[in-house]
Each structure stands twice: as structure tokens, then as C-alpha cells.
């Protein structure tokens, strides 16, 4: 299970490191509905869920608060479904910001995304400077979007993620992200109820550590689907029977298809209605039909069985309507038109002309965002403002029958109870609804082990996960399982969030990396006798072995078992060694030596004698230097008995043994300081012992 | 130690027989593929029958007979009852393939190895996975994760990855690295260093694969050449596998050239196949899904291809040259065989094979070179019984029925005798005066038994035959009959149901004609006659098998470089060839087991897990190399609270280690790097790189295959003492990390 390797630490624990901090920040949809966009960061990996716009605003104001983050740091952007409050700022984000990560969505979402946004650009009546993106941006964004199939696991920079069916609209997904064993579930909009064409949201088989869940419906309970359908058809039937007109403002895609399925079936079962036309005023939806016909694998078994006989999405009683000009308003009819919020467009035009007649009806078929006209008329005001600025009485009946396919309270609480995530973050809900939901959920999880958070936009939620880092030691290093106290040395290879320790010569066996040896061969002009070189080398280096080269029979020398010096010809000698820092150094000194021989022979001889003599002097010099340096550091330093140095600092006394470096003092701080200082001094004045390198 | 893995081939090693392998991972037995050939030779399944009951899970890789043909038979007859895992297309197209096989066979023989119901049952409980879905096995397989990945050979075709404790066992047969019209290339090369790779050597000796464009051109030229002289073209194909690629090629070409020659796709399930394929866009190549996303053009909306599901439609088609794709590819059964016999003697016609026929089949015989002039073919046909035969049949049936009825009545009688008197008071719906019935039983009881109507069996407790009688008693109170309010609740679900029952059929979309054929219970018999067919039509074979060729197989295996390799499914020479190649160049553990020979490919890898303590990790500085990071650690083993080994920093100074240069130097890349730094650089002979005027750099030692799999690289840099030398050495060092 997810939580086995990770343990949640509370905020107050001081030992946490930055790398274990998990931050969730809603950039949109934090205590509001619309412009879903949730930022998440853990262990240097940054993920953005959804990229929507707020349907009630226009221009830049509709965007999520992208300023809060650096888009170039985002590794992965995951889009749950094609609704504009979840996907519509994507072209902007991809084309107008520094974002250069990867974007994923499901096949169906991608296919509809393009159609929907192209339509959105055309429909939204905003000035050119307010336009966030144009059709070209959408087309360009298509190339950057990658597709993911349900349940398919994808890994990007060590972030693993996969998605589950969400049930909300065709192609809607819930994303599960796994970073170093910490799992985060982002539901997007989801519904646990199977309807006419969609499957219910799945229950993930793993419990997440954090669940970021929508709260649109708050504590409401939905009526059963059949009752809703019956109310819907009854209202329509009675209205048209009395000669009224029915307006259904709906989003072009998603729930509209469900309503059309209901209407088409109802008309088929009621021949008396067959002379009453149903218009669906969305050329967009017509274009999307091919998508609905193709991705039947994402739908439920019912529709797939129906599909065997005839395509249920080829409607028999529903007529397309392209614009209001083609529409002759005579007698009763049913019109489903976009946009769903009655902001503008055809649905608004029809509303304006029908709203004052009490025979007519308007059915709001789903959740409406605050600030739209559709939301306003649900409260049945006496008057409404028309598009042309005039006010008109609102006489038409307004019905709110939700087909919005958001999980209601019962679904949400059972979903959470099954998953039991230790952290719940509520997003995508009105502040008040969200608080009520939070309170009610608290009563459901009384044990106090569950944190429920409702961050506002740009408010970060911080959590700490101290996940253990586990490494696997493999190959030769693991032949013997070590006991406590044994040492393990090797190359640590980190890939994603998995660690392996292995011996260097097995690197190519267990990883894609490989090691290399660089052999260097350098030729130096040297005309003197080879014996001279040998002689000189023996003076400087501890180990010089003579041999003869097997191939050429020429004399060769091996210095410190690292560098081979060979006489190539009368005028050249060659040096050969395999690269590492010490060998490089040895070879450099040999080169210097050889060059010096050829340049100034006599001088070196003198130096050589000096070198022999100065052995003792050197020792004295070293001691002097050490003494001087210690004085500069500690001030009062005297040579005590038995050759030890006595150092006094602020009344504390310490004795330092110059040979072994041992320090005796009652004051531990001083002792440590002297020890460290002495070690540094010694390493500075005494050359590196060559033996240390092999 | 490592996970124990054993591989036992059950069929399909050292020959081209169908594939079926038993892979046991820590005692959990996977049956990977469950193939059969077009001849349905039961002797091939003997090894499977011995182990069928011990199988814990079945994994299917491709939707054709060779990979899943034996599934219905094994489920029905051999006691195979494990859950089956496959991708959605493999499941659906595999089912259609089996339908087609069965119906083709049934037409020409008294085929009784399995029935349509057996096929349905076998496929009913297939658990469908998507590509790269990590499925955690439940129950006994706890801890094992399986995942199908793109194989590139057929729609939905998979290579399987079985993972336990971080060790991968990969099963990859019939993969194709080349992208095709409807399929993406395989992702096999994304796996590196699996513990075990099980792969086929089928194409190991096959090397001269022509480039796709040229092959397509030849293919279409050959076809159009024959069409233009008025000949017909027959392509014997499989039911739902490689044929999809051919359909797309033809479709594309026809729309480009504006050909009007009709194309027919004739199998018993052709229309269902295409209907399903149309909804499998997620599984196809990027270009197909992209074109759908942008323009909503479904590539399998075939405008030039007519789908036929019976031969009569083809016979009724307007005369004239045409292209027919018909199953089976082996010409052993199906429409292709009939059409071949009809068309073979016209030299204008063409039979175009797109894949090597199965061993011992008519197709294979025709593909031999030189092609045979005559072939002896046994043609069988199912004909309805007529005349005397029909009468004889009916009599026989009646006699059987009578015998059965008699037997049943005898059994009944026994039962009644046994149960007589003990339970005649039980509360069956027939409440009859018991006094009278006793008399009946005593005197006439058995006498009535024979006159019962078929299908009606009297309850054993009844004393005399009688139709069921239910007394519909109603309760009353002072307001009248007591009612149940539930009966009057409006059934909201009515609307649903109206739509539901139009769905009907379990599998949804069997063609009506097929269904009628299946339900056809008219008495019929099979008549066979042997005829000699003169083969005067052209026979051409082209490679549309969609498998990687020998060279790619080798480089693919080298890239994957498994720790252990198991070779299957190829003739002996090919197996041996690939085995030697891999032993020499790739890995020292190559196995090619015989049938029922178990090879133990348990990895001898030692490993243990340790926890990396925070203290240690805070001192480790990683260096980034490609997509991984490396660092040297010196540590001491300690214990955590949970008694797990943990690595702590060394208490004392670490003993120095031999420095390691980590990195992978590509000479060509390095050349570019040097020239970007302003160094004159060029290739000299023998793979050496001449940098500047004097310095040369080369890779020495056993280079082996690319990918650095064969061992550490050895690089030699030499030159005279000069500034350039040190400069280039510094550049060289910059390509590596020193640890």
C-alpha cells in the first residue's frame, strides 16, 4: 500500500527537510468553481493539474493565477477533461508562457478539446486585445499534447502517473500521481453514477496519500437519475403540449449528449410528440459525433451493446440548427443551445425573445457558475436584463434539473471512506458549500487522522512526507550481506527515485551507463642516454622498475606501477599510463624531469645534491612552519616537555603531539579546533603520500 | 536471492509451430500464448494438456490463431481454467478470428474440437488491459505485476513484462520496430537489462527486408498489372491481424489513383472486424490518431473496400477484375481456399501471399520455389441432406429421441418408486386430494409416462402427470384485496429497457448472416472430393508479415541486453544462428530449450536492500548523466529502528578507491564537440579521430555492439608533447565524470 513506505509527519516537527515538503496550491478553483488549476510540488518535481478559465470572466481575468508559479519549472501538466473550466487556458499556457514540460490528456479529450476551443474562440465576443489565444495557438498546442490511455502508466522525470475513468464526460479522467512512493489523486470532476452513456468513476485500487477532490455539489444529494429524467421529460412534454417553447441552455459537449439521448428516446416512445421539432443548435456537437462514435471503449457496456445494432448517436428526432437566422419561431419546439451560461450567443438570443411569455420554459440542466445569467434566473427574479440593455419581465418557467454528473455528498463520502486518504484537499466548489462539506466530512472521519483542507486560490497547503530512501545493492557488492559496522563502498546510481549501489566495474551490467579507461601515450623528444632518465627517476620516485618492452626489446621503466617510460627511438621516449588524477600528476612530473634533463643538465646535478643534504633541514623547516602557523591561530604556543606543544587559549590548556597529531585537553571545543587546525596544517606542509592512492 | 524463473516451451521451439510457453515466476505459472495452427492438430497440444490444470494465468500476445487458437479447446477439454489477460483488441479480434476459424471449418468438415459456445466462454472472462498498464496480480500472484507493451506486429499485439521484486521477465515475440500505417513500432528497446528476455528467432536468418516505400510500390504495381489485363487478385489473409495494414494500403492507393476496381474483404466476420477496428484508434499509430484528432477522419472508414461475409455475395458481384482479401492465409479452409480453386487455372489471375504460410499447409506448398504446376486439393462442402438421406436422418433422429425418452421414463420410474410415499405431502403447487392419487399411482401410474410431451417433466413428488397448476389465492380484508404498493410504482426504468433490448446479443455484433449460419440446424452433411488444380495463375509472395528482420532483431537484443536470454519459435538453423550470435556478442546466458525441457533462468544476481540514511544522503553529491545521476558512496552499515540495514556515513576516513571515469563517449559526438571548440578534427583510418595536427584518439579493445553493453570502454589518446595534447585531454575529461 502507498502509505507503507511513507509516514506523514506533522508540520511542527523540526527535522523535516525541504525535499520532503509537499506543497499544493490551487491557482484556480480554490474555494470557487471555474478555472481549475492546481499546482503541486514535491521533491523538486512540479505538476499542474488542469488549466481552465473562469467562464464568468473574460480576458486575462479569467485565467488562473499563473503568476504564482514559474511555468518553466513545471514537469507535467495533466488535463482531466475537455470542459473549458478545465482545459481552456491550455493554449495560452502552452503558447504564451515559458512552459516547456509535457502535457497529457486522454484520446477523447484531445479530440474534443480542439473542436471545443476553436468554437470557444469563435463564440466569445471579446475585443482582439482581450483574446487569450487564437485558432493558430490551438492548432500549435495540439502538437504538444500527448495522449494517455486509461490505466496506462507513464513516467516523466521520475514522476509516475496513470488515470482512471472519472465518469463526468466522455474521456474524463482522474489522475493518480506517484512521486517517490507518495501518491496523490486528483479527481477532476467525477461522478460515481453510471448514466446513459458513461461509466461510473472507478475506485482506484491504491489509497492515495493526498486526495484533491472536487466539491461542486457540496452536501447536496442528487435525486435518482430516473426521477430527474422523468421530471425533465415531464416538463418538456407539458410545455410543448400547451404550445410553449422549451429552451435548454447547455454546454455543447458532455452532458448535452446525455440529454439528447434522453430526448431522442422519449420522442421515439411518444409518437404524439413527433410533429414537435427538437433543435440542437450546435454545429460543434455535430462535428464531435465522430468522436463519440469512435471512442465507445470509454463508454459503458449499455451504449456499446446498442452500438452493435445502430449508432445511438445518430439521432432520429433531433434536427441541427446552425444559427438563429435559420430558425422559424412558429409554435412549440424544444431547442437545446449553447452557451450553457446564457452569456451570449444563440441560447441568449432565444432566451431574450422567449423570457416574457409564461407558456415557455427554460430548463437549466446542470451546475451553473456564479456570475452567469443562467445562475441568476435559477432564483427566479422578477426581471432580467436583456442583451440590448433593456429589462424585461421574467415570466417563463425556470426549472433547474441537474444532470451535471458531479458526485453528490453520498458519492463523495463513500468514495473517500473507501480510499481513506490521510489528507483531503477540497477544490472546485463554492466557498460556502465547501465549508459545509468540510464540516460534514469531519463528522464522518472523527478519528482525527484525516486532515481536510480548503485552500483559497494561491493559498498553499504544506505537508511533510518523510519517505525513506531505499537502495538496492546488487552484483558483486552484494555477494555477502554485510553486518552492522561493515563498510559498503561503490557507485550510487539514482534513476528517477530508485537507487542502486554497485561496484564500478559492473556499472555497465546493471545500468545504461558505462565506465571508461583512458590510456594516454605521449612522446617526448629526448636525445640523451636512457640510463640517465632511470637514474633521475630513481632519485625522485620510490618505485621504479626496469624491464624491457616485449615487442621492441627496448628498455622500459615503470614508475609507481602507473606510468611506463619507454625509449621509442634514439630521439624520443614515450610515456604511457591510464588516466586518473595521480597518474596524471606523476606523468607530469616525469615530463618535467625529462625536459629539464635535456635543457640544463648541470644545474639539476647541483640541485640533486642539495636535495640529499636538505633532508634534515626540511624537517626543521616543517616544524618551524607548523609552529608559526599555530601561533598565528592560537597565539600562546610553547614547546613543552617531551616534544609536545602547549597551547593556551583563554585559560584552557591543550597539549599537541606533533608526530601523531593527538591533542590532549580538558576543553573539548578547543581540542577539536586544534586537531582540525593541525590536520590542515600538516596536509598543507607535508606532501601527499603516494601510497594513499592505490 | 533473485526471483526464481523457469521457462518450459510447450509448443513452438525449433520449428514454426504455434506458440505456447510455460513461464513460472516464483511458483506462479504463466501460460504465455496458447496457439494452434490452421490444421488444428491435437497432437501439438499434448504438452499443454499435461500442465493445463496447473496454470495460474494466461497471457495472450497477438490476436491470431498461432498465438491464441487453442484457448477455447484448452478451456473446454484440457482443464485450463486460469484467468486470461490480453489487451482489448487482442480479446476482440482474437474472438473474431476464432469465430472465423470455426465457421470456415464447420463449412468443410464435421468440426467438433470446440463450438461457438466454447469460444464465447473462453473469451468471456478475459481481463482486458491497456498498454503500459501495471496490473498487480491478486491472490497467489501477489507481488507480481504484469504489463502489456506495444509490439507493433498486430493491432493490440503486446510484448509482456512480468515484474517481481524489481526484476523483469520480458516476453517479446513477433515484434516490429518499424512504424507502419496503422501501428506504431514496438517499445521493446525501452527496456534495458531485464533479468530474462524470452524472444523468437523466427526472422533471425531473414535479412533483405526491402524498404517500405519500395515494397509498397512493388505490391501495388503487381496488383494493378494483373487487374489491368483483366485478371483477379486474391490475397489470402488472416482474419483480423495483418490484413488491416493491407486494407489501408489498398484503400490509400485506390483513393490516390482513383481506381475503380472493386476490393472485397471476405471473411465470416469482416464487417464486425472493421466496426470494431474503427473504435480501436487509441491502439493505432500516432499518425492515425492525430489525423482523427485534427480532422476526425477515421482511417478505417473504408470507401473503396466492400465488406462481404459470404461467398454468394462475391459470386453475385459484377464480373470484371477485382481484388479479394479472404481468410484463411493458409488456404487450408475458409473462402480463400474456394476462391483459389476457382481462380487458379486462369493465367491472368494473381494469388498474392503476404506472409509465409504455416508449415504443411497449401499456402506453404504454393510458396515453394519453383511453384508447383499442379496441386491436389481435397474440397469439402457442407450440403443439406435431401431425399433418402434426409429421411434416413430423420428416422435416425426419431429413433434416438424415442430411445432417450424411454430411458428417461425408466429413470423416472425408478425415482418414483424410490421416493414413493415419502414425500407426497410436500407442498408443491399441485395440491391434489391425496386419497385419489394413491389409486392412480397404484394402477395406471407408469402407463401415462410415455405420453408426456417433450420438455415437460412432472415434479418427482407428483403422483400423476399433470400440467402445473398454481392456485392464485388473494388475501382480503375489509377494504377488499390487500395490495402491494410496489406494484403500482411507475417503473422509471422502462425507458432504459426500451433501448436495452435492442442491444440483444451478448457479443453485440455478430453479423446477421453469420448468426443465421450459426443457428442453422438443418440437417446437413459434408461431402469431399479430391481434385487436381492446375496452378497457372501467377503466384507472388511479398513480405507484409510485420516482423523485424534478422539484423534489427540482433541490434534490438543487443540494446535490451538481457542478463539471460531464452530463444523460441524458429527453425533449428535460425535458433542456432541467433544463439551463437548472442553468445558471442551479447550475453553469456543464452538458452534454447526443447519442448517440455525446463530451463532455469533464475537470475544469479545477488542483491539486498538497504536504507539510505539522511545523514549519508546529505553528503552525497550527485552528478547528472543522461536520465540518471551517479555518485560515489562510502558508508558503514547500521540498523534502523525497524531492524532494516541502513547505510550511515563512515565514522573514520574512507579508504581511498580507484578513481572511476563514468560516461559513454561516442567518437562522432566528441568530434562535433571538438569542432565546436575550434579544434581541427577529422576521422583518420581505423576509427581513429585526428584532433589538431598531431593528437589521435581512438577506441580500443573489444568494442562489440553499440550501447556500451559489452564492457568498459577503452580510449587511447596519443600524441607528442605539446599544448594541443593537454587541451584535447581536458576536453576528453570533460566528457566524463570522475568518481
Amino acid at each position: 500500500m502507498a502509505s507503507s513506505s511513507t509516514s506523514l509527519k506533522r508540520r511542527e516537527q523540526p527535522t523535516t527537510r525541504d525535499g520532503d515538503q509537499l506543497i499544493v496550491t490551487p491557482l484556480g478553483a480554490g474555494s470557487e468553481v471555474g478555472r481549475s488549476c492546481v499546482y503541486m510540488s514535491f521533491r523538486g518535481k512540479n505538476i499542474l493539474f488542469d488549466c481552465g478559465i473562469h467562464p464568468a470572466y473574460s480576458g486575462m481575468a479569467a485565467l488562473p493565477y499563473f503568476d504564482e508559479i514559474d511555468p518553466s519549472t513545471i514537469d507535467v501538466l495533466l488535463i482531466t477533461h475537455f470542459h473549458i473550466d478545465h482545459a481552456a487556458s491550455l493554449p495560452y499556457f502552452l503558447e504564451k508562457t515559458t512552459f516547456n514540460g509535457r502535457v497529457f490528456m486522454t484520446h477523447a479529450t484531445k479530440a474534443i478539446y480542439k473542436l471545443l476551443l476553436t468554437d470557444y474562440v469563435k463564440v466569445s465576443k471579446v475585443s482582439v486585445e482581450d483574446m487569450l489565444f487564437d485558432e493558430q495557438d490551438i492548432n500549435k498546442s495540439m502538437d504538444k499534447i500527448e495522449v494517455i490511455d486509461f490505466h496506462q502508466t507513464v513516467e516523466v522525470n521520475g514522476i509516475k502517473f496513470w488515470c482512471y475513468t472519472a465518469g463526468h464526460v466522455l474521456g474524463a479522467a482522474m489522475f493518480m500521481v506517484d512521486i517517490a512512493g507518495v501518491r496523490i489523486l486528483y479527481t477532476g470532476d467525477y461522478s460515481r453514477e453510471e448514466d446513459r452513456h458513461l461509466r461510473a468513476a472507478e475506485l482506484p485500487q491504491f489509497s492515495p496519500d493526498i486526495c484533491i477532490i472536487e466539491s461542486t455539489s457540496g452536501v447536496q444529494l442528487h435525486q435518482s437519475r430516473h426521477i430527474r429524467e422523468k421530471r425533465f421529460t415531464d416538463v418538456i412534454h407539458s410545455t410543448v403540449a400547451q404550445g410553449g417553447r422549451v429552451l435548454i441552455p447547455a454546454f455543447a459537449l458532455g452532458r448535452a449528449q446525455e440529454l439528447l439521448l434522453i430526448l431522442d428516446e422519449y420522442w421515439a416512445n411518444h409518437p404524439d410528440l413527433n410533429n414537435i421539432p427538437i433543435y440542437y443548435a450546435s454545429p460543434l456537437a455535430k462535428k464531435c459525433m465522430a468522436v463519440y462514435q469512435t471512442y465507445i471503449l470509454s463508454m459503458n457496456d449499455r451504449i456499446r451493446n446498442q452500438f452493435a445494432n445502430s449508432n445511438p448517436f445518430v439521432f432520429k428526432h433531433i434536427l441541427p440548427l446552425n444559427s438563429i437566422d435559420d430558425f422559424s419561431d412558429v409554435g412549440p419546439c424544444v431547442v437545446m443551445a449553447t452557451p450553457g451560461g446564457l452569456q451570449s450567443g444563440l441560447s441568449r438570443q432565444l432566451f431574450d425573445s422567449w423570457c416574457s411569455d409564461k407558456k415557455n420554459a427554460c430548463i437549466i440542466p446542470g451546475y451553473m457558475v456564479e456570475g452567469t445569467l443562467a445562475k441568476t434566473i435559477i432564483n427566479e427574479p422578477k426581471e432580467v436584463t436583456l442583451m440590448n440593455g433593456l429589462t424585461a419581465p421574467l415570466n417563463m418557467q425556470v426549472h433547474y434539473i441537474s444532470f451535471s454528473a458531479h458526485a453528490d455528498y453520498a458519492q463523495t463520502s463513500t468514495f473517500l471512506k473507501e480510499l481513506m486518504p490521510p489528507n483531503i484537499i477540497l477544490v472546485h466548489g463554492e466557498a460556502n458549500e465547501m465549508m459545509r462539506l468540510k464540516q460534514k466530512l469531519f463528522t464522518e472521519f472523527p478519528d482525527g487522522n484525516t486532515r481536510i483542507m480548503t485552500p483559497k486560490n494561491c493559498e498553499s497547503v504544506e505537508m511533510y512526507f518523510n519517505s525513506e530512501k531505499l537502495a538496492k545493492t546488487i552484483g558483486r557488492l552484494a555477494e555477502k550481506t554485510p553486518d552492522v559496522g561493515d563498510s559498503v563502498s561503490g557507485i550510487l546510481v539514482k534513476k528517477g527515485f530508485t537507487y542502486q549501489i554497485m561496484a564500478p566495474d559492473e556499472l555497465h551490467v546493471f545500468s545504461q551507463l558505462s565506465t571508461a579507461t583512458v590510456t594516454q601515450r605521449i612522446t617526448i623528444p629526448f636525445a640523451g642516454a636512457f640510463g640517465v632518465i632511470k637514474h633521475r627517476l630513481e632519485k625522485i620516485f620510490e618505485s621504479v622498475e626496469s624491464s624491457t618492452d616485449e615487442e621492441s626489446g627496448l628498455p622500459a621503466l615503470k614508475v609507481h606501477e602507473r606510468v611506463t617510460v619507454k625509449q621509442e627511438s634514439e630521439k624520443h621516449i614515450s610515456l604511457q599510463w591510464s588516466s586518473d588524477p595521480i597518474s596524471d600528476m606523476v606523468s607530469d612530473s616525469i615530463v618535467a624531469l625529462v625536459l629539464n634533463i635535456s635543457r640544463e643538465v648541470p644545474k639539476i646535478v647541483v640541485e640533486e645534491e642539495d636535495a640529499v643534504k636538505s633532508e634534515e633541514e626540511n624537517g626543521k623547516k616543517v616544524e618551524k612552519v607548523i609552529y608559526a602557523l599555530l601561533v598565528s591561530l592560537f597565539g600562546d604556543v610553547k614547546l613543552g616537555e617531551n616534544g609536545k606543544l602547549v597551547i593556551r587559549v583563554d585559560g584552557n590548556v591543550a597539549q599537541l603531539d606533533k608526530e601523531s597529531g593527538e591533542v590532549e585537553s580538558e576543553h573539548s571545543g578547543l581540542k577539536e579546533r586544534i586537531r582540525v587546525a593541525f590536520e590542515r596544517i600538516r596536509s598543507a606542509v607535508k606532501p601527499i603520500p603516494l601510497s594513499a592512492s592505490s | 536471492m533473485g526471483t526464481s524463473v523457469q521457462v518450459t516451451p510447450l509448443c513452438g521451439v525449433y520449428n514454426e509451430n504455434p506458440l505456447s510457453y510455460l513461464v513460472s515466476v516464483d511458483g506462479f505459472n504463466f501460460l504465455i500464448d496458447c496457439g494452434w495452427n490452421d490444421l488444428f492438430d491435437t497432437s501439438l497440444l499434448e504438452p499443454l494438456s499435461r500442465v493445463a490444470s496447473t496454470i495460474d494465468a494466461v497471457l495472450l500476445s497477438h490476436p491470431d490463431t498461432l498465438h491464441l487458437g487453442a484457448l477455447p479447446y484448452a478451456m473446454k477439454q484440457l482443464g485450463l481454467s486460469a484467468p486470461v489477460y490480453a489487451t482489448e483488441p487482442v480479446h476482440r479480434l482474437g474472438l473474431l478470428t476464432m469465430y472465423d476459424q470455426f465457421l470456415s471449418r464447420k463449412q468443410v468438415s464435421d468440426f467438433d474440437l470446440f463450438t461457438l459456445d466454447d469460444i464465447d466462454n473462453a473469451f468471456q472472462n478475459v481481463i482486458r488491459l491497456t498498454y503500459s498498464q501495471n496490473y498487480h496480480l491478486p491472490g497467489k500472484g501477489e507481488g507480481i505485476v504484469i504489463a502489456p507493451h506495444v509490439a507493433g506486429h498486430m493491432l493490440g499485439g503486446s510484448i509482456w513484462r512480468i515484474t517481481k521484486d524489481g526484476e523483469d521477465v520480458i516476453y517479446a515475440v513477433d515484434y516490429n520496430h518499424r512504424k507502419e500505417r496503422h501501428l506504431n513500432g514496438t517499445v521493446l528497446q525501452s527496456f534495458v537489462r531485464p533479468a530474462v528476455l524470452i524472444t523468437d528467432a523466427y526472422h533471425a536468418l531473414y535479412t533483405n527486408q526491402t524498404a517500405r516505400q519500395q515494397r509498397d510500390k512493388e505490391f501495388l504495381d503487381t496488383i494493378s498489372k494483373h487487374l489491368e489485363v483483366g485478371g483477379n487478385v486474391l490475397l489470402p489473409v488472416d482474419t483480423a491481424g495483418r490484413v488491416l495494414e493491407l486494407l489501408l494500403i489498398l484503400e490509400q492507393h485506390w483513393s490516390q489513383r482513383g481506381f475503380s476496381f472493386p476490393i472485397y474483404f471476405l471473411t465470416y466476420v469482416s464487417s464486425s472486424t472493421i466496426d470494431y477496428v474503427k473504435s480501436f484508434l487509441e491502439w493505432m499509430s500516432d499518425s492515425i490518431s492525430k489525423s482523427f484528432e485534427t480532422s476526425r477522419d477515421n482511417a478505417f472508414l473504408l470507401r473503396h473496400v466492400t465488406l462481404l461475409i459470404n461467398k454468394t455475395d462475391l459470386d453475385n458481384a459484377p464480373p470484371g477484375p477485382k481484388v479479394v482479401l479472404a481468410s484463411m492465409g493458409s488456404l487450408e479452409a475458409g473462402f480463400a481456399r474456394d476462391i483459389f480453386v476457382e481462380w487458379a487455372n486462369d493465367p491472368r489471375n494473381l494469388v498474392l501471399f503476404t506472409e509465409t504460410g504455416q508449415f504443411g499447409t497449401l499456402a506453404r506448398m504454393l510458396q515453394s520455389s519453383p511453384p508447383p504446376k499442379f496441386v491436389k486439393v481435397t474440397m469439402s462442402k457442407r450440403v443439406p441432406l435431401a431425399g433418402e438421406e434426409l429421411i434416413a436422418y430423420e428416422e435416425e433422429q426419431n429413433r434416438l429421441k424415442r430411445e432417450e425418452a424411454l430411458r428417461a421414463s425408466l429413470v423416472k420410474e425408478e425415482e418414483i418408486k424410490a421416493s414413493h410415499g415419502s414425500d407426497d405431502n410436500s407442498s408443491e403447487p399441485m395440491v391434489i386430494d391425496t386419497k385419489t392419487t394413491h389409486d392412480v399411482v397404484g394402477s395406471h401410474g407408469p402407463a401415462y409416462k410415455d405420453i408426456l410431451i417433450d420438455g415437460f417433466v412432472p415434479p418427482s413428488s407428483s403422483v400423476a402427470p399433470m400440467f402445473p397448476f398454481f392456485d392464485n389465492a388473494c388475501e382480503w380484508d375489509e377494504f377488499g384485496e390487500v395490495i402491494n404498493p410496489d406494484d403500482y410504482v411507475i417503473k422509471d426504468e422502462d425507458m432504459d429497457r426500451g433501448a436495452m433490448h435492442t442491444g440483444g446479443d451478448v457479443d453485440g455484433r455478430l453479423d446477421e448472416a453469420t448468426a443465421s449460419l450459426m443457428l442453422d440446424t438443418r440437417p446437413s452433411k459434408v461431402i469431399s472430393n479430391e481434385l487436381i488444380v492446375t496452378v497457372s495463375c501467377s503466384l507472388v509472395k511479398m513480405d507484409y508479415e510485420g516482423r523485424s528482420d534478422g539484423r534489427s532483431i540482433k541490434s534490438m537484443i543487443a540494446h535490451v541486453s538481457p542478463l539471460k536470454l531464452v530463444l523460441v519459435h524458429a527453425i533449428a538453423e535460425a535458433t542456432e544462428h541467433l544463439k551463437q550470435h548472442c553468445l558471442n556478442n551479447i550475453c553469456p546466458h543464452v538458452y534454447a530449450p526443447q519442448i517440455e525441457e525446463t530451463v532455469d533462468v533464475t537470475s544469479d544476481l545477488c542483491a539486498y536492500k538497504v536504507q539510505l540514511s539522511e545523514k549519508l544522503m546529505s553528503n552525497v553529491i550527485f552528478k547528472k548523466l543522461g536520465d540518471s545521476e551517479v555518485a560515489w558512496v562510502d558508508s558503514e552499515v547500521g540498523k534502523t529502528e525497524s531492524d532494516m540495514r541502513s547505510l550511515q556515513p563512515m565514522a573514520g576516513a574512507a579508504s581511498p578507491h580507484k578513481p572511476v571515469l563514468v560516461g559513454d563517449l561516442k567518437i562522432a559526438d566528441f568530434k562535433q564537440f571538438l569542432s565546436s571548440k575550434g579544434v581541427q578534427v577529422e576521422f583518420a583510418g581505423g576509427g581513429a579521430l585526428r584532433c589538431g595536427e598531431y593528437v589521435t584518439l581512438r577506441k580500443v579493445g573489444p568494442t562489440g555492439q553499440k550501447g556500451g553493453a559489452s564492457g568498459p570502454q577503452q580510449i587511447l589518446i596519443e600524441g607528442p608533447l605539446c599544448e594541443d595534447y593537454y587541451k584535447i585531454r581536458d576536453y576528453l575529461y570533460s566528457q566524463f565524470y570522475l568518481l
Side-chain angles (χ1 to χ4, degrees), chain A residues 613-627:
Chain A
K613 258 196 255 170
S614 64
E615 190 109 322
E616 243 173 74
E617 274 176 33
N618 262 348
K620 276 182 190 165
K621 227 186 254 175
V622 165
E623 268 182 43
K624 267 188 194 167
V625 171
I626 293 175
Y627 180 75

Side-chain angles (χ1 to χ4, degrees), chain A residues 336-376:
Chain A
M336 194 182 291
T338 52
L342 292 175
Q343 299 97 321
S344 57
L346 187 64
S347 64
R348 183 59 178 271
Q349 288 170 326
L350 290 174
F351 177 81
D352 284 1
S353 58
W354 291 353
C355 68
S356 37
D357 187 345
K358 68 177 188 325
K359 272 197 293 186
N360 297 339
C362 177
I363 300 177
I364 311 286
Y367 182 83
M368 286 302 150
V369 176
E370 206 66 58
T372 57
L373 179 65
K375 180 81 184 179
T376 317

Side-chain angles (χ1 to χ4, degrees), chain A residues 668-679:
Chain A
S668 60
L670 180 66
K671 182 177 159 179
E672 185 63 13
R673 267 188 68 195
I674 293 174
R675 198 182 59 74
V676 172
F678 183 70
E679 251 172 42

